[in-house]
Amino acid sequence: MKQRIFTTFLFLLLATASYAQKKPLDHSVYDGWKSLSNIRISKDGKILTALIQPQEGDTILWVRSLQKNQTLMIKRVKTYVVSPDGMFTVGLVKAPFAERREARIKKKKEEDRPKDSLVIVDNRTLAVRKIAGVKAFKAPEEMSGHIAYTVTAPKDTAKKDKKEKDLLILHNLITQHEDTIRDAKDHLFNKFGNAFAVNSEPDKKDTTRTPEVLFFDLKNDVRQTISKEKAEYKSFAFDEQGEQLVYLATKDTSKIEQKAFEVRYFKKGADSAVVIAGKNVAGLPAGWIFNEFSTPRFSKNGERIVIGAAPKQAPKDTTIVDFEMAKLDIWHWKDPLIQPQQLVELRHEQSRTYTGIIDPKKPNAFLSVATEEMPFCNIADESNGRFALLSSDKPYRIETQWDISPRFDAWTYDFETGRLQPVARAMGGRPALSSQGNYTIWWDAAQRHWFAFDNQARTTVNLTKDIDVNFWNEEHDTPSLPNPYGLVGWGENDEYVLLNDAFDIWKIDPKGIRKPENFTLGKGRSDSLVLRYVRTDPEKRFFAPNDLLLLSAFDKRSKENGFYTLKTGRQNLLQKRLIDTYTFPFVVKAKEADVFAFLKGNFHTANDLHVTKNFWKTSDKLTDINPQMRDYRWGTAELFAWTSFAGIPLQGIVYKPEGFDPQKKYPVMIYFYEKHSDELYRYYTPAPSRSIINIPFFVSRGYVVFVPDIHYTVGHPGEDAYNAIVAGAEALARNAWIDKENMAIQGQSWGGYQVSYLVTRTDMFKAAGAGAPVSNMTSAYGGIRWETGRSRQFQYEQTQSRIGATMQDSLNLYIANSPVFFADKVRTPLLIMHNDKDGAVPWYQGIEYFMTLRRMGKPVWMLQYNNEAHNLRERRNCKDLSIRLQQFFDHYLKGDPAPVWMTKGLPATEKGKSWGYELDTDR
């Protein structure tokens, strides 16, 4: 017994000593904290690659031979590709970050800045070759033997060249043979890398050469010129096999806004490309053209050219000079979309084309499929199929100002019969085609069911009406129609469709004849597991017998995550592979081997790369990208339960500092948005704040952080927040280790609104931070989301703001939920952040609240980052906000001296000279 007590004491002593040696996180750690991205695995599962990426600085290409257990790391690789067979890795190596930074500081010209280079890795031997001075490179989708890269040509001093010119190099990875192409404007490989096309466009001053299109048969080492005229060439597209090439061309050299293009076609073995369609092609609607946005492409089997056409736009009036031309936007009450939204979408609308078909075997004929009345077009079976699905939301666009419920009219076009068949009007969801195109399927939100239309029999079936579970989101809590849990995919030959419910996947006959089957055998619902298909093969188009499918699994009770596999057949076999106290934010599988690479982490374990070759019976950790994490204090995450003031059982997450001592009292930061408890095992990277507190940063510095879930009703979002958050804070404060006199709240956007509301209802929080808050729903209701140009009315009537009625019908609710009208009740020091280019919440909302509180003499500050968005984008601003958040909360919750920006402000005369970080020790 004495020995056991001594051992326990020794363990505690060692743990305390270890904790004492660790440092709290500070603002200097961010740049070097790394993450993994661009993770790829070869088809045979022998080569695994990734980028190790610091938040700021030089990336590292990580190449691992799983067969040889050897690792190669190459510094400063920014982008890379791997051949599917695993033979080669090719990447662009950037100049050192410090050199690039110095060049920006000195404002060097582009040609005088540090140059990049190309790296080629032979994955079999991990041998490395480098090519200096490479600006960019391109590889086939399935890189095999060739790549193309661009270098700067030496200046011709005899001709006194002022501009750098680029050379395009076609490089054979195996033989290292190279072809050089001058004046390349555009170039393209086919999918498998056996064909290559280049558009060479010499300088207009060079009268000795004309533009040309070159075709390379890389398999047979043949190069030929297929077009050579004074013309503009663009929008190249190969069929997958590299046997056919299509592109646009125009001989119009004028400076008009919109040129008419002709469609050129080349088939391997021909002497040159031919014009397959022009402005007078049969079938092209009158007044329509192929324009610069027509972008042709081949169907999967190469038997169709899919291309857009559009009405020729009216030319700009050049009779009025610019400085005498009125500039205005006219808002009309009958416009389908309001002017701001039209302006946001202007470029998209100007480039809109309408899908049609050209048959390469039948030139000079165009089949117009989509129209202005039926603009959306999807052709079945990767554009090979018999049916096209046409749809339109145009009749319902005015209503989108206040109603986000999707509504579409839909038709099918039968390529065999030429018949256009209506599917449905005002359907309550966007329609989609089945894998082979035999059915049109859609979710009807109003009826809360899935429907399928048989494109040949022309009959409609309610797919889910006889199943005794819901297929709509049962946790939907806004006053709008609920979304479904999702469509998984289709069986071979469209024999069945797979649909998600809350837990399981269902196998349903689209004809409605066979009885629906629970594809996952009811395991999800019985065990409270959310089972979802993981698409490990991006090219898999349908499910076949004897498939082995990977499913993700989330335990709704324990919040644990993992994987199951499902072997399809006459009787499906569902096997548990792993359930653990981690999240797995990424998984990739080798196409031809049962090798899975995955990221794994939780709150106190960084996301590193692991591999399993036996379905998680065992796995190997391959990286340790943040070893410095062991030098810093971290913490733990645990579930916390309480009952709201409205009697609703709720959960949240409590993050406790490393070395937590229940005999101590800890200050508390409370962050919230809507619901986060399902993220119990999520890893958070220490990073500069875009808008919210960084949880590990505050936990590391001795705070308890509480993240409560919120339960909402309709009409009273502010009160709902109060009932959940304040009840949660009071329940947490009953623990002896909580310093209830030093608790603070912080949130952004919807969270910022809730913070702004809460401080009008309670004085229990020592300080509060509100980012981009709506403070006045009566003025915000009529505002614009400037990033999209949309009216904000739908938010209050149907979505997150949850009022559920128009302001005209329920003005009292808009006022009751607006903090600005109750600002006199605020006793809590408030830090607002609201930026002047906020595209989601008009920044005058922050100004209204600030000005009202200021008038009343309340302690309030507002951070307005210049030319910044709803959430900060500029890293320099993120770092600044992080410092100010820490200083603000440390002052009020820990008693640290306040910085000058809080005590004295920062006058405009000091802008750019001082930041006011220094502590005001006089106070």
Side-chain angles (χ1 to χ4, degrees), residues 41-45 82-88 140-144:
I41 193 167
S42 60
K43 286 184 177 180
D44 59 11
V82 183
S83 56
D85 61 11
M87 286 184 63
F88 294 100
E141 182 181 335
E142 297 209 10
M143 184 176 68
S144 51

Side-chain angles (χ1 to χ4, degrees), residues 646-863:
I648 306 295
L650 293 173
Q651 289 182 311
I653 306 173
V654 172
Y655 299 92
K656 295 178 179 177
E658 185 172 348
F660 175 77
D661 182 352
Q663 303 304 315
K664 288 178 59 177
K665 285 190 177 292
Y666 292 87
V668 180
M669 282 296 310
I670 304 175
Y671 164 75
F672 42 82
Y673 190 77
E674 290 188 342
K675 292 182 179 177
H676 286 281
S677 63
D678 286 355
E679 300 170 9
L680 176 64
Y681 295 111
R682 174 182 169 182
Y683 176 71
Y684 290 88
T685 299
S689 170
R690 296 179 62 219
S691 55
I692 66 173
I693 62 164
N694 183 267
I695 292 174
F697 180 88
F698 278 87
V699 174
S700 177
R701 301 184 72 84
Y703 285 87
V704 165
V705 175
F706 177 40
V707 183
D709 285 351
I710 303 164
H711 177 270
Y712 296 99
T713 58
V714 174
H716 307 280
E719 190 71 12
D720 293 334
Y722 175 84
N723 287 339
I725 296 163
V726 177
E730 288 186 358
L732 186 67
R734 293 187 193 110
N735 291 286
W737 37 271
I738 292 295
D739 183 353
K740 64 182 299 183
E741 301 303 319
N742 286 295
M743 305 175 80
I745 50 176
Q746 197 273 334
Q748 162 74 8
S749 191
W750 181 239
Y753 158 71
Q754 293 172 110
V755 167
S756 299
Y757 179 90
L758 288 178
V759 295
T760 70
R761 292 293 314 279
T762 179
D763 298 340
M764 78 176 296
F765 303 116
K766 194 80 169 288
V774 165
S775 63
N776 183 352
M777 287 193 177
T778 67
S779 59
Y781 176 77
I784 302 292
R785 292 180 66 96
W786 292 107
E787 198 166 80
T788 60
R790 294 194 63 181
S791 162
R792 291 179 53 84
Q793 290 178 357
F794 73 89
Q795 292 179 231
Y796 299 90
E797 296 178 34
Q798 290 194 339
T799 64
Q800 191 174 56
S801 298
R802 296 176 170 89
I803 300 299
T806 68
M807 190 166 70
Q808 290 71 29
D809 291 339
S810 298
L811 179 60
N812 60 316
L813 290 179
Y814 284 80
I815 293 173
N817 285 283
S818 296
V820 74
F821 296 118
F822 308 97
D824 59 314
K825 294 179 170 53
V826 176
R827 303 289 182 270
T828 307
L830 180 65
L831 175 64
I832 299 170
M833 181 192 79
H834 216 147
N835 307 318
D836 50 24
K837 295 297 181 185
D838 192 321
V841 178
W843 72 300
Y844 57 72
Q845 287 293 310
I847 295 172
E848 281 193 50
Y849 207 29
F850 175 84
M851 296 301 292
T852 303
L853 291 169
R854 164 188 160 95
R855 174 76 178 266
M856 295 177 176
K858 312 285 186 179
V860 61
W861 298 258
M862 190 168 99
L863 307 176

Side-chain angles (χ1 to χ4, degrees), residues 23 44 75 95 113 120 229 293 353 367 369 407 434-435 574 608 677 743-744 801 862:
K23 303 173 287 186
D44 59 11
K75 292 181 179 179
R113 294 191 176 191
I120 301 171
E229 301 162 73
F293 305 109
T353 60
L367 176 61
V369 183
R407 273 185 287 279
S434 59
S435 177
L574 186 67
D608 271 299
S677 63
M743 305 175 80
S801 298
M862 190 168 99

Side-chain angles (χ1 to χ4, degrees), residues 63-134:
V63 182
R64 173 83 170 187
S65 170
L66 297 177
Q67 189 177 29
K68 297 181 179 179
N69 288 326
Q70 293 179 339
T71 301
L72 173 69
M73 298 174 76
I74 303 172
K75 292 181 179 179
R76 306 195 312 276
V77 174
K78 190 72 174 176
T79 58
Y80 78 97
V81 294
V82 183
S83 56
D85 61 11
M87 286 184 63
F88 294 100
T89 299
V90 180
L92 189 67
V93 181
K94 301 293 291 181
F97 175 80
E99 293 181 17
R100 287 183 279 128
R101 180 177 179 273
E102 187 67 21
R104 287 185 65 189
I105 291 171
K106 294 182 177 179
K107 298 182 180 179
K108 289 185 177 181
K109 295 179 180 179
E110 187 63 36
E111 59 265 28
D112 297 327
R113 294 191 176 191
K115 298 295 187 287
D116 301 335
S117 59
L118 191 74
V119 63
I120 301 171
V121 180
D122 185 329
N123 294 331
R124 297 162 297 183
T125 62
L126 297 184
V128 176
R129 287 190 290 122
K130 286 189 177 180
I131 302 172
V134 173

